[in-house]
Amino acid sequence: MELSLLIVRQIFSMFLMLLVGVSLVKFRIVEQKAGSSLSKIVLYVVLPCTIICTFQNAQQYEMKAELIFVFVVAICCNVLLILLPYPIKKLLKLTAVEQASLSYPNCGEILIPLVVAVLSEEFSVYCCAFMIVQICFLFTHGVGLLSGQRKVKIKSILLNPNVIAIVLAFAMFFLRIRLPLFLNEAIEGFKGMLLPACMLVIGIAIGNSDLKLILSNKRNYLICLLRLIVMPLIVLLIIKVSGLVYVMENAKNVILIVFMATASSSAATVANIAQSFNNDAQNAGIINVMSILFLIITLPIMVIVYQIWI
């Protein structure tokens, strides 16, 4: 319960930062396209620096076995999230954008800053592990789903700045390579930007959106219900039945991070990919914004359920 209260407090703090971004747009202090530029800074600078810094600081912990474990769990959870929409696809007449929004949660801009703030920097390593697994699926299955093509874009995976950062960070972590102090301090500085920068990006995106249009779309309430509550509960049920929390000493905390990822809002990257293929990017953006708004309520509830049930 204490953890859930901490998450509630931190989410409200994040929500206030988000409102600053909304206000910047509504009062015309920044241009509408400012969000796109800031988003690129987060993607190409802040997140990679956070990942590298996280693994540099994690060298003081003995977590190699836990990292391997979280990779296995992350692969299983990502596969499960991809498969779950298929049985209801015809029944609900899911579009490709809706299916992708259900299968791919936001584990970067939302989860990493939340985990760092509420738990500790040590646990954010597990978020990075989930992220690299998700990126691999997103740029293979996700791109194929949204483009209608089945060709795997290996280049898109390998050139993703966060994948590059994770590969470098992993190599330095396992080889015990430490960055020079001046370089580490510079990276730490960018890492400190993560939470406010991510919230400003989301806030500016919401500020640029028509909230009346967003909240009037009744079908997307169903998509958010499935993404934020139904699918995480199914994942939790499988975790409970599988007995994964008993595999190793710290398994319960490790799996909590993965579960929080599965219970997060839809990934903003879905909207970006949908736009590149002219595939209903507006609706993908609407689902993303709605799920972020509802996440304020649903994520603490999901964590409480996890703590009670697991």
Side-chain angles (χ1 to χ4, degrees), residues 184-196:
N184 196 57
E185 287 177 348
I187 292 174
E188 283 269 10
F190 282 115
K191 178 191 166 193
M193 294 172 57
L194 180 65
L195 180 56

Side-chain angles (χ1 to χ4, degrees), residues 64-119:
K64 291 181 181 179
E66 292 176 0
L67 268 176
I68 295 171
F69 175 69
V70 79
F71 262 111
V72 173
V73 175
I75 291 170
C76 294
C77 285
N78 272 280
V79 170
L80 186 59
L81 291 176
I82 289 171
L83 293 177
L84 282 176
Y86 280 97
I88 59 172
K89 183 177 180 180
K90 288 185 178 180
L91 178 65
L92 298 179
K93 297 180 180 178
L94 295 176
T95 65
V97 160
E98 290 171 339
Q99 189 177 340
S101 296
L102 290 175
S103 294
Y104 296 103
N106 190 327
C107 59
E109 293 178 348
I110 295 289
L111 189 64
I112 290 180
L114 181 61
V115 168
V116 170
V118 174
L119 295 172

Side-chain angles (χ1 to χ4, degrees), residues 157-171:
I157 299 173
L158 296 178
L159 294 182
N160 184 289
N162 295 299
V163 171
I164 294 171
I166 290 172
V167 170
L168 289 174
F170 259 86

